[in-house]
Every structure is written in structure tokens, then in C-alpha cells.
Amino acid sequence: MSGSSIMEANSFRGFAADGDETDLQRLIGRRQRVLGGAYRLFYREPVHLVRGEGARLWDAEGREYIDMYNNVASLGHCHPAVVAAVTEQMSRLNTHTRYVHETIVDYTERLLETFPAHIDRAMYMCTGSEANDLAIRVARQYTGHRGIIVTAEAYHGTSDLTSGASPALGSGQPLAPEVRTVAAPDTYREGDAAGARFAADVRAAIADLDEHGYGVAALLVDSILSSDGVLPGPRGMLSDAAAAVRAGGGVVIADEVQPGFGRTGETFWGFDRHHLDPEIVTLGKPMGNGMPVSGLVARGDVLAAFSDHLPYFNTFGGNPVSMAAASAVLRTLQEERLMEHSARVGAELLERLSMLALTHPLVGDVRGAGLFIGFELVTDRDTKEPATVAALRVLEELRRRGVLTSVAGPHGNVLKLRPPLAFQSSDIDPVIAALDEALSVVEH
């Protein structure tokens, strides 16, 4: 899939032109007429979802699916605590942040308690793209440099700034001239040397940015390297690279949109697994359990370099309804000890997935942290040749068996298993059974 993108993997290509048109085909035709060609749907036969609860989804025909992919509804689909909080606040007031409201202050004080003490300021937006866009602006203002380093398959957003730093969007989206990409550390193929190689490549990227007059403003990194193929690595694997960036005059931006909020089980924030000690952290999808809310938290002096000179206003960023949703999410995560749940259930799932390698030669590597697991398929375990075509076929077979997920990595051969935190130990058996059958069908 090199040169393609995360948008093209596992995407709908159109129906065969035979037989009578179904209701689904008519709906997709209407969608394409009014929404245009930029959007992508999952699967050869897209799924028409109408309801969700916990880790389950139902389609228009009443078929039930286990959601193994969706961290937008991080607590679970239609979580009652979030529904109640949003409904109550919406019935009283929703407005922007240029009026005083206690909800944003209460939430921010509680949120900052989950970070290291030097992270002491927050700002709010609606999407992870906006958060990463602002983070880049802040880093450039603070350092006086322009260069940004990202991993080779990173996805950080859809704004002009962030799409220019998102190689996962594919060859049709050019990278900005001041952006440098570095291959992510892959312990499956590189072993213990992965972290050191990554740091060396980061130093080389810094030297190249310096040579071209940009300097390095930031290393922008998703600490579980999800778009690069879900590469959790050993704890501390990214710390040498972070040190190299600071030595070069830059800062570290931890993109926590995917690994944050207890998802990895070991730490509440993914960057803590790697001792990144970031100056800036960005938050997104899981923050509101489906409500569009995102954030940026930072060291006060770093943010001040931007905020003391430039006012920032985001009409819906930090609005009372979104803050009510975010507050409900944070409170539920803490009160129900969902980070510990993610660690325990994730370990059970990882063990069961690893056992499939005993009977299925397609399985190359199974890795993860908490409820964030990469299941890599290869055509040959000795050469570790990516099994791209087989991975897409496995996805289709899983869909037929009521399990939804997608792929990641430069070759689209890594199943990205990232269910809502409502996923329970009792959900593991049907997932393993479906995957066992899917692998058997594809292998034979």
C-alpha cells in the first residue's frame, strides 16, 4: 500500500452492475450525489449502522456487530453518563467561551491533574486536526523554527498545516517542504535496535532541516504509532528521539488522540509509556465519547509564547455542552477504573490472539498495550513479507461474521484492534472465533 493511504485501505470501490438495486445501493447513490467523491466508506459492501450500545452496533437489517475499531465512542456507544450530561446541559445553556462558565474551568482543573505538574495550561477546539494545527503554531512561535518531524505513516489531521504533516493521507497529499518523515521504530523487524535507529534518523532529519534553514520546531508523534501499524514497543523506546529534538532546539508534541485517556492500560497518557515528557499534548476523539471536542495542554511558558501575542478564538471549542460530555467521560474513566480494565482485558485479548499464531501461518506478530492491539499478517514468517491482500480479505470475512475493524501500517497488513472500553472479557470468545474462521477461509 506504499504511496496509498489510510483512506484507501479497506474502502468501498462500488457495486457490481448486475441485479436489482437494493435499498443500500440507492442510499449510497444518494450519498455520493450530495457529498461528492472525497469521502470513503469501509468494506466492499458498506455497513449501514442505525444503533449502538456499549461495544455493539446494529445495522439497518437488525444485524449485530462487535465494534473492534471505534475509539471515538471511547467509553462505549451511547454511554448513559454522557447522554445524560449532554442532555441536561443542552437543556440549560450552550454558548461560546467569551462568556464566563464554570463547566470549562471545573473540567480543566480536573484534566490537568492527570498530567505532569509542568503541564499547566489548556485550550479547546472541536477536532484533533484543530488541536494539532494549533500545536504546530505554538511550537513554531516558541522555538522560532519551522521544521516538523513526523513518522512515515503518521496521520495528524486534515487542516492545511496538519495534512501537510500527515503522510498517511497518501501521495496525492503533498507534505509541506519543512516537514521531514522518519520510519517508525518497528521491533518486529528491527528488534531491540528499533529505538536507537529511530533516534539516529531523527537526528539526521534535524540536520537536514537545519541545512535547509528551517530548524526543528517539533517532533509530532502518536506514541503508539497507530497509523504506522500499531507499534507500542518497549517502554521508553521513543525517549532518545525526544532528547535529540530538544538538543536540536525543538519541542515534543504528543498526539494523544488515539493512545490517550487510559487506552493503553499501563499509563493514562500514552506518552508516559515512553518517558516523552512533552511540552505540548493534543487530545481529540475519545475526549467526548462522540461529541466533537478536542484540546491542547501545554507547559505554561511554551503556550505563553503564542497566547501572549496572538488571541485565539474557537466558536464551539470548549462550549458548555462539549465540556459536559468531556467531564462525564473523565469522571467515568476514573470512577470505573477503566484504565485498569483496559490493561486486564487487553492482556486477555492479546494472549488469545497470540494463540492463533499456533494454527495460522498468516499471523506474523501480535502486539499491543491495553485495548490497542496490532495483529500483523505476513505471507512468510521468515521474510516477514506483508500480506496486504490477505488482510483485506480477512476484514471482509470478519464483517460477515459480525466483527468490525480495519487495517493500518505502510502496507495495510495490520489489523487495528481498538474496541471501545466497554469491551468485556465475555466479548473475547466471539471475536477469536470469528477471526479463527476468517483466517481459515483466507488461508485455504
Side-chain angles (χ1 to χ4, degrees):
M1 203 176 69
S2 180
S4 183
S5 75
I6 58 170
M7 295 297 293
E8 299 300 342
N10 186 28
S11 64
F12 171 61
R13 304 293 183 183
F15 290 107
D18 56 349
D20 295 332
E21 189 177 43
T22 66
D23 289 343
L24 178 63
Q25 288 172 324
R26 280 190 287 273
L27 179 58
I28 291 173
R30 290 170 55 203
R31 173 189 163 107
Q32 290 174 333
R33 280 192 294 275
V34 297
L35 296 182
Y39 290 98
R40 297 292 185 272
L41 291 165
F42 280 147
Y43 298 108
R44 293 171 186 167
E45 183 177 345
V47 183
H48 178 190
L49 296 175
V50 296
R51 185 165 71 90
E53 181 180 347
R56 294 295 199 278
L57 293 163
W58 285 265
D59 68 15
E61 297 177 351
R63 174 141 192 216
E64 182 178 333
Y65 299 87
I66 299 177
D67 185 357
M68 292 298 293
Y69 186 70
N70 204 330
N71 78 325
V72 176
S74 55
L75 302 181
H77 295 281
C78 303
H79 193 283
V82 180
V83 172
V86 167
T87 303
E88 194 277 334
Q89 184 60 50
M90 182 64 86
S91 70
R92 289 194 293 126
L93 174 71
N94 197 27
T95 186
H96 53 71
T97 53
R98 296 193 72 177
Y99 300 109
V100 179
H101 197 273
E102 61 271 21
T103 308
I104 190 172
V105 179
D106 291 343
Y107 175 72
T108 303
E109 289 173 345
R110 290 173 46 224
L111 177 68
L112 290 175
E113 288 175 356
T114 68
F115 287 96
H118 67 273
I119 299 290
D120 58 358
R121 296 289 187 277
M123 297 177 70
Y124 296 101
M125 308 87 210
C126 302
T127 67
S129 296
E130 291 173 282
N132 283 327
D133 186 293
L134 181 59
I136 292 172
R137 293 174 66 191
V138 170
R140 286 175 169 171
Q141 188 74 15
Y142 176 72
T143 63
H145 302 153
R146 293 195 57 79
I148 303 295
I149 300 172
V150 297
T151 54
E153 294 295 324
Y155 170 71
H156 294 295
T158 57
S159 70
D160 186 50
L161 272 181
T162 57
S163 61
S166 295
L169 289 174
S171 55
Q173 169 60 59
L175 295 180
E178 65 272 21
V179 170
R180 298 294 180 271
T181 61
V182 174
D186 180 355
T187 55
Y188 175 48
R189 290 177 171 78
E190 299 179 88
D192 294 340
R197 192 276 308 156
F198 181 65
D201 285 358
V202 166
R203 285 190 287 270
I206 294 168
D208 189 60
L209 287 168
D210 286 343
E211 183 180 340
H212 285 80
Y214 295 117
V216 60
L219 169 67
L220 172 56
V221 63
D222 159 8
S223 56
I224 202 161
L225 301 162
S226 49
S227 296
D228 291 274
V230 187
L231 302 167
R235 293 180 69 128
M237 179 177 69
L238 304 178
S239 58
D240 287 349
V245 168
R246 292 191 180 98
V251 298
V252 174
I253 304 170
D255 181 342
E256 289 290 311
V257 171
Q258 298 200 56
F261 290 97
R263 163 69 54 180
T264 65
E266 299 174 18
T267 55
F268 197 75
W269 301 110
F271 65 76
D272 272 339
R273 291 188 65 251
H274 291 304
H275 317 302
L276 286 180
D277 200 23
E279 286 81 4
I280 304 171
V281 183
T282 56
L283 319 173
K285 297 181 182 78
M287 188 175 176
N289 205 64
M291 282 294 291
V293 57
S294 65
L296 175 152
V297 298
R299 209 173 72 196
D301 62 314
V302 174
L303 190 55
F306 177 88
S307 59
D308 286 359
H309 301 281
L310 293 166
Y312 180 84
F313 177 61
N314 187 308
T315 301
F316 289 108
N319 72 77
V321 171
S322 290
M323 289 293 96
S327 294
V329 169
L330 184 57
R331 182 172 58 253
T332 302
L333 283 167
Q334 293 171 332
E335 291 178 354
E336 297 185 5
R337 303 178 67 85
L338 291 181
M339 184 176 83
E340 292 85 347
H341 169 84
S342 182
R344 186 185 74 256
V345 177
E348 295 174 22
L349 177 60
L350 189 69
E351 181 180 7
R352 295 287 303 281
L353 289 167
S354 298
M355 291 174 65
L356 291 174
L358 301 176
T359 53
H360 293 287
L362 266 176
V363 181
D365 190 40
V366 186
R367 53 190 179 253
L371 282 170
F372 208 141
I373 295 172
F375 190 82
E376 180 158 358
L377 303 184
V378 295
T379 60
D380 186 296
R381 287 181 177 172
D382 293 328
T383 65
K384 301 178 181 177
E385 182 70 21
T388 301
V389 174
L392 294 176
R393 290 183 60 200
V394 167
L395 290 184
E396 297 293 336
E397 295 297 332
L398 284 173
R399 177 206 183 283
R400 294 187 183 99
R401 290 161 177 78
V403 175
L404 302 179
T405 191
S406 194
V407 290
H411 304 285
N413 66 311
V414 181
L415 272 60
K416 190 176 184 179
L417 304 177
R418 182 194 53 182
L421 299 182
F423 187 87
Q424 302 292 328
S425 297
S426 57
D427 294 317
I428 294 176
D429 278 350
V431 169
I432 295 299
L435 187 51
D436 187 19
E437 291 178 10
L439 287 167
S440 295
V441 168
V442 172
E443 287 169 344
H444 296 106

